[in-house]
Every structure is written in structure tokens, then in C-alpha cells.
Amino acid sequence: MTSQELVKKIFLTAGRFKLVIIVGGLLVGAALFLYARSKPIVYTSRASVFPLNAASDNSLANSALSQLMGGVEAPKSFSQEATINIVELALSRNTREAVVMERLPEKGNKRIVDLLIENYNKTKPFYSKAIVAPTDEVSLAASGGMMLKGGIAAKINKNGILEVTYSNTDASLVSPISYVLIEKIGQFYKDLKIKKAQVDYNFTVRKMDSLQRVLNTYDRRAIGMSNSTLFVPNEKIEYSIPKENLINQKTRVLGQFNGSANNREEALWRLQKVTPIIEILDKPDPPFDVTKSSSMVFGIIGFIAGVILFTLILISPLLYRYAKAEIYRSVFKDETMNDNTTTSSSAVV
């Protein structure tokens, strides 16, 4: 069978069974159409979050007190203050598990994890198993955190503003969960800021204590030298031991002590001025972004895929016979060439 004969038989077979092909395409298209109709609508909230501490830190950087203490310019946005950290904090397991264990008063004081499990069981596909809530708190928080993970997204835009989005198939859960999520991000970020400021303050205090001990040592050595008197024999001339090197060393350490004192005051100021660091600019309230699968598009794609599938099934015997004939012809041709080569070699011998 040549390739032209194969194409001719394919068209003849498709024309003979065109009704079967069309019905098969309609069945597949209807199946995908119903599948798209059964998929729930996804609602997505979008919130913009800005750090409140930017203005106060900038005023400190521009103040005379900051210049005297050698203050470093403070961050103006999340992007200038550990961008990756705030995004990872928003998407972290610790944040997600803290969110799902919170209760929503507007939902009968139920925990978010219980609401997520109920919503999944109501909207799950028929082929999926229902989720049973674990009995212990740790497993329940872990399960809820995994369910929440797929709906959360966070990024830093070009202006350094944190953008948080949350998606869910239940529109009544989108705003409450978004607000709890932003609240947890802000609280955890605030705790990290306080911890960092406390570490800086403790470090400067310890450094000042160490420098003070060094200064006390120099003072004791200076007093000892002052109390030491030397005499020139037979001249009764009294003179003191030179202390120029000791004074220079003490001056150098005293400069470090003053610098540490400035750093301590700045660290104490930052520790006292840590406030809730984020404010919601664009609130995650309705109207939400709606994502719905197009039933018509799925139906058309299913019809085309069904037509192709049933056509391939019907012409598969022709393709099999054609492939078998081509393989046989190729093998027979190779054997014939080998025989001819062998005969020619024998003749030459």
C-alpha cells in the first residue's frame, strides 16, 4: 500500500463513519462542557500594604540628632528593607498555620481551618475524597496551612509596596481571611523588628560595659603611676613616670566608648518607637476578581479533540497495516541487499 492509497482509504473511512465521528466529538465536547460548568467560581481579593515606620524613620534620618549619633538612613519601603524576608514571611508555613487557627466572629466564631474544610467538601470534584478534620491541634493547623497555601500570593511591586492576594471559591471567606492574613504578617514583622532592635540595644550595652572596664584599667594604671616617685641619687630630684602612651590609649578607647553611647541611644530610640509597621492601602473588599472557566471554549475544544480521537480510532487498523507493510518491505529489502552483496563477494573470490 502506497502513501497515496493510505490517504485515499483514510478519507473513505472517515466519510463512511462520519456520523460516528461527529457523535463522538459531541460526546467529548459535552463532557468537557459539563466539567467546566461544574467547576466553582474563584474569587480573588487584592490588597496593598505599606510600612508605617517609613515616615518616622526618615524624619529620624534627617534630624540633627540622627546626624550627631551617626544614624543610618532608614528604609523607605519593604523593597529597601529585606524584600525577600517580607515575602517569605507572608508565604511561610508559620504565618499560614497561625491564620487558619484564628476564629471568625462573622462565621459563628468558627476557626478558619474548619471553614476551609467545609468549603472544600462542598465544592470538591466527585472523584476526590472528602477531608476529615484531624483531632489534634498540630495536625489540624498543618492541614489548614496546606489548604491555604494554594490561595495565597505575595510580591513586591516596583514602588516597594507589598501586594497580597487571596483566592477562594467562597466569596464570603475571601475578605475575612485576607484581613487575618495581613494582620498576622504585620504582627510577625513587628515582632521581628522588636527582636532586632532588642538585639542591637543589648549588643551596644555589652560593648559599652567592656569599654568601661578597659577605661577603668587605664585609670588604675594612671593612678599607680602618679603614686610612684623616683629620685636621682644624691640630688634629691623628684620626678613622675611619663604617661603619654597611656593617655593616648585611653583617648582612643574613650572615642570608641562615646561612639557606642551614641549607638546605644539610637538603638534605644528604635526599640521605643517600634509600632505596627503596615497599613492597608487597597483593602481586600468586594468587588473581587472573578475567575470562571468558559464552558463554551471547553465544549469546542472537547468537540475538536473528540473528532480527532474517534478518527484515529477508526483509521488505526489502516495505519497498523500500512506500518506493518512498510516494516516488512524495509526488512525484505535489507535481506535482498545482503544476499546480493554475498553473491558478488563469492563471484569475486
Side-chain angles (χ1 to χ4, degrees), residues 176-189:
I177 294 179
S178 298
Y179 277 109
V180 174
L181 174 62
I182 295 172
E183 178 186 357
K184 290 298 180 183
I185 295 173
Q187 186 60 46
F188 288 166
Y189 197 63

Side-chain angles (χ1 to χ4, degrees), residues 12 21 27 39 45 84 123 130 167 201 206 231 241 250 283 285 288 295 304 317 326-327 343-344:
L12 291 175
I21 294 174
L27 290 176
K39 292 186 66 176
S45 67
I84 298 178
T123 59
S167 303
Y201 177 75
R206 289 194 302 268
F231 298 93
I241 298 175
K250 182 178 178 180
K283 297 183 178 180
D285 294 331
F288 303 123
S295 303
I304 296 174
E326 288 295 320
I327 294 172
T343 304
S344 302

Side-chain angles (χ1 to χ4, degrees), residues 15-227:
R16 189 184 315 148
F17 296 99
K18 60 183 178 180
L19 183 60
V20 176
I21 294 174
I22 293 175
V23 172
L26 291 175
L27 290 176
V28 176
L32 288 183
F33 179 85
L34 295 176
Y35 170 75
R37 290 289 297 270
S38 65
K39 292 186 66 176
I41 301 175
V42 178
Y43 303 91
T44 302
S45 67
R46 214 170 278 275
S48 299
V49 183
F50 187 76
L52 282 180
N53 60 336
S56 60
D57 286 345
N58 290 337
S59 63
L60 172 65
N62 296 327
S63 66
L65 178 62
S66 175
Q67 294 175 2
L68 290 175
M69 295 191 303
V72 181
E73 184 179 358
K76 300 180 179 62
S77 63
F78 282 124
S79 64
Q80 295 172 328
E81 186 183 0
T83 300
I84 298 178
N85 289 344
I86 188 64
V87 172
E88 289 182 352
L89 176 63
L91 302 177
S92 66
R93 175 179 176 180
N94 188 36
T95 302
R96 289 185 278 110
E97 291 184 359
V99 169
V100 298
M101 297 307 291
E102 289 293 317
R103 297 182 181 273
L104 299 180
E106 60 269 32
K107 290 292 184 178
N109 210 33
K110 290 183 178 181
R111 290 176 298 192
I112 292 178
V113 61
D114 298 325
L115 296 171
L116 291 176
I117 292 176
E118 291 177 3
N119 180 61
Y120 175 81
N121 291 335
K122 287 191 301 183
T123 59
K124 70 177 183 65
F126 67 92
Y127 51 81
S128 299
K129 294 183 179 180
I131 297 178
V132 180
T135 55
D136 61 296
E137 296 288 327
V138 177
S139 300
L140 185 63
S143 301
M146 290 301 298
M147 295 181 65
L148 195 65
K149 182 178 181 180
I152 298 176
K155 68 176 183 178
I156 299 293
N157 64 15
K158 61 182 180 180
N159 297 321
I161 306 299
L162 175 66
E163 292 184 355
V164 181
T165 60
Y166 175 66
S167 303
N168 198 302
T169 56
D170 188 349
S172 63
L173 293 177
V174 175
S175 284
I177 294 179
S178 298
Y179 277 109
V180 174
L181 174 62
I182 295 172
E183 178 186 357
K184 290 298 180 183
I185 295 173
Q187 186 60 46
F188 288 166
Y189 197 63
K190 173 186 172 182
D191 294 341
L192 290 174
K193 293 275 289 184
I194 294 175
K195 184 177 181 180
K196 178 63 168 61
Q198 185 68 53
V199 170
D200 292 341
Y201 177 75
N202 293 337
F203 173 78
T204 55
V205 169
R206 289 194 302 268
K207 185 175 181 180
M208 288 185 62
D209 292 340
S210 176
L211 293 173
Q212 185 63 56
R213 288 192 294 268
V214 175
L215 291 174
N216 293 339
T217 301
Y218 287 149
D219 289 338
R220 288 193 297 268
R221 290 175 59 187
I223 292 173
M225 290 180 178
S226 298
N227 293 334

Side-chain angles (χ1 to χ4, degrees), residues 185-336:
I185 295 173
Q187 186 60 46
F188 288 166
Y189 197 63
K190 173 186 172 182
D191 294 341
L192 290 174
K193 293 275 289 184
I194 294 175
K195 184 177 181 180
K196 178 63 168 61
Q198 185 68 53
V199 170
D200 292 341
Y201 177 75
N202 293 337
F203 173 78
T204 55
V205 169
R206 289 194 302 268
K207 185 175 181 180
M208 288 185 62
D209 292 340
S210 176
L211 293 173
Q212 185 63 56
R213 288 192 294 268
V214 175
L215 291 174
N216 293 339
T217 301
Y218 287 149
D219 289 338
R220 288 193 297 268
R221 290 175 59 187
I223 292 173
M225 290 180 178
S226 298
N227 293 334
S228 301
T229 303
L230 298 178
F231 298 93
V232 177
N234 302 323
E235 298 291 341
K236 296 183 179 180
I237 298 177
E238 181 179 337
Y239 65 93
S240 300
I241 298 175
K243 298 186 289 292
E244 287 81 2
N245 292 337
L246 183 63
I247 293 174
N248 292 336
Q249 293 175 2
K250 182 178 178 180
T251 301
R252 184 168 57 253
V253 175
L254 186 61
Q256 296 179 8
F257 182 85
N258 293 333
S260 298
N262 293 336
N263 293 336
R264 181 191 63 182
E265 295 301 322
E266 182 182 359
L268 181 61
W269 187 91
R270 293 184 183 277
L271 181 60
Q272 293 172 342
K273 292 297 181 179
V274 172
T275 56
I277 60 153
I278 65 172
E279 177 66 18
I280 303 176
L281 299 181
D282 297 330
K283 297 183 178 180
D285 294 331
F288 303 123
D289 296 335
V290 179
T291 303
K292 174 63 177 177
S293 301
S294 176
S295 303
M296 185 60 64
V297 172
F298 270 75
I300 294 173
I301 295 175
F303 174 76
I304 296 174
V307 169
I308 295 174
L309 176 64
F310 275 81
T311 301
L312 290 176
I313 293 175
L314 292 173
I315 67 173
S316 58
L318 294 176
L319 296 176
Y320 173 75
R321 288 197 296 270
Y322 177 77
K324 184 178 179 181
E326 288 295 320
I327 294 172
Y328 177 78
R329 185 181 300 111
S330 176
V331 173
F332 179 76
K333 182 178 180 181
D334 292 341
E335 291 179 352
T336 305

